[in-house]
Amino acid sequence: MKIACYTDIHNQQTMLQIPTVLRGSAVTAIELTKKEWGKADIALIGGDNVSDYPHWNKSCALPYKNWLDMKRTMVEAFATVAKDSRVLYVDGNNDLILGDLPTKENPPYNTCEFYFSGPMKETLGVLAEEDYIAKYAASKGEQAGLHLLCFHYVVDGIDFFGLNIDPDDAFNNHDCSYNDEALQWLKRKLAEADPEGNKLIFAVGHLSATTVKNEESIVETMGERHKNALYDAFSGHSNLFYLYGHVHGQGYTHAESCTAVLHFDETGKPYPLPKGVTDSREVLKKDDKVSFHTVHMGGLRPFYQVVDGVNLYFEEDNLRGQMPWDDRKHSYPSTATPKLAQYLLIETFDDRVEFKFRNTGSFEGFTPTDIPTPYTVWLK
């Protein structure tokens, strides 16, 4: 199976004005994937599709009609990269807080809804009641629509679990968290789907927990309690790969594909970072007990930085528009094409999985012709 992964597009500011446009790195990633593969068997979208209109913590700043146009723009674009338009969406922390509070012009709405109103129901199939858990946001009720918390699809014989953020945590902290009940549900469903602990499984969510920064340091980015609950759900599934985004930009790129992959032991601790290698057998001994794996999916937006008048990480093709607080059109330099952006391609075989990072920008060492060495993980 061929799996294309894209995350942290962060369509923002003037990109969210009608007619909405997709960030240039996402457009390039789609084009490059089709050039390399034709079409993937499935595409995975890792959340933070929208943000910063005008501020992450000012809910419903994005008008509902603009969100519907942005959703249409995204869905039509990503449908072209996968066979039968099969695209699996999970939400990010920035997605939730753009549409959950009412304003004079807008009812509360669900910026994470890619199932009940489509397209996942049409392209991946209708979920049986036992294959998902959902809730209404406690403070918003039915008017904002159901939020999928966790769900399970089988695509071409491979299990995919999607994890979405708890909508009631949207304003507690910027990073948010997964719902405790959903994690308990996930643990039960994984036990049902993989009783022997050796089935190939992809769990897709937005939030990072243990990750690699600057290709050197293993860092924790999730609170201990939530991380432990997440890893407890994954524990004992030796061929499970948790695919995530959330951490992106200059500090979270990969010149080598192996730096995106971490292997965890039975205590939930990662084995040493496999930097500079191409094969999991160079990292793991035969008798090592692997409990699960995590894999960073990259990111399609760096952070804006100007040094000596030079925009280091974005092309000079910034977009102009008039935002709600503008009295005239204004140039937004971080709303167009990043010089530094990455996506992930995954290819599965009977005995192994190969992870391949790809670049979309013009930043030295991270152009489309700079191909990070693939990293192979042999299945237990």
Side-chain angles (χ1 to χ4, degrees), residues 7 24 32 57 80-81 114 124 164 167 257 262 266 298 302 324 337 362 375:
T7 189
L32 290 173
N57 60 351
T80 67
V81 83
F114 288 88
L124 294 174
N164 287 326
S257 301
L262 287 173
E266 293 173 305
T337 306
S362 62
Y375 181 64

Side-chain angles (χ1 to χ4, degrees), residues 6-17:
Y6 315 98
T7 189
D8 291 272
I9 304 161
H10 283 278
N11 290 291
Q12 63 188 74
Q13 297 166 338
T14 50
M15 289 190 293
L16 297 173
Q17 294 181 329

Side-chain angles (χ1 to χ4, degrees), residues 204-309:
V204 189
H206 178 71
L207 299 178
S208 58
T210 308
T211 190
V212 177
K213 188 173 184 179
N214 296 321
E215 297 194 282
E216 295 289 344
S217 303
I218 296 175
V219 296
E220 302 289 350
T221 59
M222 183 182 288
E224 191 75 7
R225 185 181 76 82
H226 287 115
K227 185 196 77 170
N228 289 344
L230 179 66
Y231 287 177
D232 181 57
F234 298 153
S235 180
H237 299 282
S238 60
N239 294 326
L240 180 147
F241 297 87
Y242 173 57
L243 308 173
Y244 65 90
H246 190 47
V247 289
H248 56 91
Q250 298 88 296
Y252 296 95
T253 52
H254 304 278
E256 303 174 90
S257 301
C258 60
T259 62
V261 184
L262 287 173
H263 313 288
F264 288 77
D265 66 18
E266 293 173 305
T267 71
K269 293 182 179 179
Y271 285 94
L273 175 64
K275 195 174 188 308
V277 303
T278 62
D279 193 311
S280 65
R281 291 175 298 191
E282 299 175 65
V283 180
L284 301 169
K285 301 174 183 177
K286 282 189 176 181
D287 57 349
D288 280 338
K289 302 294 185 183
V290 177
S291 187
F292 60 91
H293 317 262
T294 65
V295 185
H296 183 219
M297 291 189 287
L300 291 170
R301 188 199 73 173
F303 292 99
Y304 180 58
Q305 185 176 348
V306 173
V307 176
D308 295 330

